[in-house]
Amino acid sequence: MRILGIETSCDESAVALLEVRDGRTVGLEHLVATQAIHARYGGVVPEVAAREHSVTVPLLLESLAERAVGRPDGRALGQAVDVVAVASGPGLVTSLKIGLDHGRVLAAAWDRPLFAVNHIEGHIHSNWLPGAEMDGAWDADGDIFPALVLVVSGGHTEMLLMAGHGQYRLLGATRDDAAGEAFDKTAKMMGLGYPGGPALARLAEVGNPKAFDFPRPLLADPSRDFSFSGLKTAVRYFLRDNASRSGERVFLADVAASVQAAIVDVLVGKAVRAAVESGVRSVMLAGGVAANAELRQRLRERLGKEAPGIRTIEPPVGYCTDNAAMVAAAAYFQAKSRPADDWRMVQADPHWEIGR
Ligand code: KG4
Ligand code: ZN
């Protein structure tokens, strides 16, 4: 099955052509264009994002055709595609619509089935892409379900119980900021730019995670919910009270490492407890923050020590943040289990939640 994926939920325009045969990935071309323009505003401006998508998506499709069929020919690309998949929510509605409209038009013009995919379900399916443990086991995942999925992105922090592809139950979610926002907002206060998560993680590598004791909100709370806004506020006051040290690189590295340790402690502590209580076979990471090396290592260590029977499943680092290959991967399983969507009817749903 050859699946064209399209992703425009936020500020990444992305297209991919994924080919799965006999339970293996046999081909993947993928292109991502991150909209640099938002860095100047310190966050994503929805109107600007949508306009950028409408310029970029056709160009990406043209480049994808060049790669996949050797020439910038839409008709030839259509002949190389069996299924069209597009992320239709959650996200920014104006951004989602651009990708969805491209998917609808292509499905209609090429006469191919269209699958509107949930963006979070896409993130989860990055765990089946090349470089992931599950690649090569597309049709044989009996030993990983039920899985506890820890979704950690810029917009979402939640734990889902996944009984199988398309079968989710929400266990808990953040009450305020997402984990990615906790990284991004503290990074911004430290002058590390936007989005600051990766920059903060890099700086943390040379810092002492025990230097400063920042709060671990809801860590000891038996609920499966998260909360990160208190941590952000604590860091804000700490930086204000230590403003005279804001130019010291060692100080900033220690703050970065201590903030990262607090976020990771909460995520890992809550996920491990929920996994043990739910009797799952695996804990699966998904979303942009799943690229964080400290999170991966600490999760592996804690599960290894406290629940050695539970597997840790990590997406390839290159497919953690928004991409279209993950959308195509999710559509592969949907194409096998449900009828396609009608291109005439399908709509973007900016608040689409799975597992509720
Ligand atoms: O999943 P994603 O691409 O977008 C949403 O769907 O929201 O996630 C983006 C988030 C940003 O907050 C970014 O700072 C964070 O993922 N992120 C990281 C790392 N790489 C990306 N956070 C911490 N450490 C990283 N290495
Ligand atoms: Zn995302």
Side-chain angles (χ1 to χ4, degrees), residues 37-221:
I37 189 165
H38 304 288
R40 108 166 57 133
Y41 306 110
V44 178
V45 183
E47 162 74 20
V48 174
R51 267 190 275 146
E52 292 265 314
H53 284 308
S54 70
V55 172
T56 310
V57 173
L59 299 175
L60 291 178
L61 286 166
E62 188 179 44
S63 302
L64 187 71
E66 275 173 357
R67 288 200 190 180
V69 297
R71 55 191 194 280
D73 179 338
R75 189 184 301 239
L77 178 63
Q79 280 160 3
V81 168
D82 300 310
V83 168
V84 177
V86 52
S88 63
L92 301 170
V93 70
T94 43
S95 286
L96 291 164
K97 273 172 174 287
I98 306 292
L100 182 59
D101 283 346
H102 280 86
R104 293 168 65 218
V105 166
L106 292 176
W110 294 338
D111 192 21
R112 295 290 188 272
L114 173 69
F115 286 87
V117 172
N118 181 286
H119 175 80
I120 299 300
E121 193 166 12
H123 274 301
I124 295 170
H125 284 85
S126 59
N127 282 292
W128 276 262
L129 291 172
E133 216 178 315
M134 298 312 293
D135 184 32
W138 282 74
D139 295 300
D141 30 45
D143 58 339
I144 66 161
F145 296 132
L148 181 117
V149 188
L150 179 63
V151 179
V152 276
S153 72
H156 286 76
T157 295
E158 58 196 31
M159 289 193 284
L160 294 160
L161 200 58
M162 182 178 181
H165 301 283
Q167 297 166 258
Y168 311 97
R169 186 158 66 79
L170 185 70
L171 296 180
T174 185
R175 295 176 185 172
D176 39 62
D177 290 348
E181 277 177 292
F183 271 102
D184 293 343
K185 288 179 179 174
T186 47
K188 193 169 169 180
M189 290 185 243
M190 293 167 68
L192 300 176
Y194 175 87
L200 190 137
R202 263 194 310 278
L203 187 55
E205 281 171 25
V206 292
N208 173 9
K210 297 203 170 101
F212 308 112
D213 188 18
F214 291 120
R216 270 87 170 142
L218 297 185
L219 178 57
D221 187 274

Side-chain angles (χ1 to χ4, degrees), residues 7 9 119-120 123 153-154 287-288 320-322 326:
E7 159 63 49
S9 305
H119 175 80
I120 299 300
H123 274 301
S153 72
C320 287
T321 50
D322 291 351
M326 69 186 199

